[in-house]
Amino acid sequence: QQQVKQSPQSLIVQKGGISIINCAYENTAFDYFPWYQQFPGKGPALLIAIRPDVSEKKEGRFTISFNKSAKQFSLHIMDSQPGDSATYFCAARDTGNQFYFGTGTSLTVIP
Amino acid sequence: DAGVIQSPRHEVTEMGQEVTLRCKPISGHNSLFWYRQTMMRGLELLIYFNNNVPIDDSGMPEDRFSAKMPNASFSTLKIQPSEPRDSAVYFCASTHSGAVGYTFGSGTRLTVV
């Protein structure tokens, strides 16, 4: 059973546009929600993360929006650049410090 | 800090052969995870260790897969015998209590022909 559901599976965005990736979860005990970025041939790397007591977190062009009541969170990439082309994974942490990953979104930013 | 180190980076083997993947976690990290990544199934957790002890191996697909962590600085994932459907990228990740996330290695790309 997939603990964290992620969509879309793939996304194509024009340079300068906004990329939006969505995730949903069921377990209300999850207490930490990171996003990972993975480039081809590399392992996933922590990009940005949010705790459930905050509705939004912004780091540069990357923003996480968190809706606790809906049990949803999303990653927004503003002014998307070709260098942002990668696979993005959302994740959620349980009280045992174990992370559950979404299925990933392949983002392509075209010049 | 050299990060999580995995070896080999690439492995091509014939069906039926034994394959051993290796991982060195970050020093001081007390949890280690083995993941398998495929296009079809994404990132799948195979097994994880806390303080060198296997905690959950429910993700190990079959008895052909086994993992060990003899000490805090080394872990292996073994497949015996290997099959073509085992072809995937295998990642090792480590973390410690209170860390904000996992640190992944660069992965081992396994091809079984």
Side-chain angles (χ1 to χ4, degrees):
Chain A
Q1 181 183 356
Q2 192 71 31
Q3 296 265 5
V4 180
K5 296 181 180 179
Q6 183 172 348
S7 63
Q9 186 174 3
S10 62
L11 182 61
I12 299 174
V13 174
Q14 290 268 351
K15 178 182 175 182
I18 302 174
S19 303
I20 302 175
I21 304 170
N22 301 299
C23 285
Y25 64 96
E26 287 298 325
N27 187 347
T28 55
F30 287 151
D31 63 359
Y32 187 73
F33 301 87
W35 285 87
Y36 284 78
Q37 179 187 54
Q38 183 182 24
F39 292 107
K42 301 291 187 181
L46 182 64
L47 178 65
I48 186 173
I50 197 168
R51 300 188 187 280
D53 54 349
V54 177
S55 61
E56 184 176 283
K57 183 172 182 180
K58 184 176 182 180
E59 291 184 1
R61 296 183 294 108
F62 299 89
T63 300
I64 301 178
S65 297
F66 189 84
N67 186 328
K68 188 173 182 178
S69 61
K71 292 184 283 187
Q72 296 175 347
F73 58 111
S74 59
L75 176 69
H76 296 234
I77 307 175
M78 312 300 287
D79 187 26
S80 299
Q81 299 296 312
D84 297 330
S85 298
T87 299
Y88 293 81
F89 294 92
C90 62
R93 184 180 69 183
D94 68 12
T95 53
N97 202 33
Q98 183 177 349
F99 286 86
Y100 297 87
F101 288 87
T103 50
T105 295
S106 177
L107 171 65
T108 302
V109 181
I110 53 178
Chain B
D1 184 355
V4 176
I5 300 173
Q6 291 187 245
S7 64
R9 287 298 311 273
H10 302 274
E11 176 80 37
V12 180
T13 190
E14 291 186 347
M15 182 174 63
Q17 297 297 305
E18 177 180 296
V19 175
T20 299
L21 311 181
R22 297 172 176 79
C23 175
K24 177 179 170 54
I26 291 175
S27 177
H29 283 193
N30 63 336
S31 296
L32 183 141
F33 304 80
W34 282 101
Y35 282 86
R36 178 171 67 177
Q37 186 177 38
T38 61
M39 288 293 292
M40 291 294 294
R41 303 170 79 125
L43 272 172
E44 299 176 274
L45 177 64
L46 301 177
I47 185 171
Y48 78 94
F49 297 83
N50 272 354
N51 298 314
N52 313 337
V53 175
I55 301 301
D56 184 355
D57 65 353
S58 59
M60 298 285 261
E62 302 171 31
D63 291 345
R64 299 184 295 106
F65 287 69
S66 62
K68 293 182 180 180
M69 191 164 187
N71 57 62
S73 60
F74 184 67
S75 176
T76 60
L77 177 68
K78 184 179 294 186
I79 308 172
Q80 166 63 15
S82 58
E83 296 182 3
R85 60 194 168 117
D86 301 331
S87 297
V89 181
Y90 291 80
F91 287 103
C92 174
S94 70
T95 190
H96 63 86
S97 303
V100 296
Y102 297 169
T103 300
F104 283 82
S106 295
T108 295
R109 179 173 295 277
L110 172 65
T111 303
V112 183
V113 297

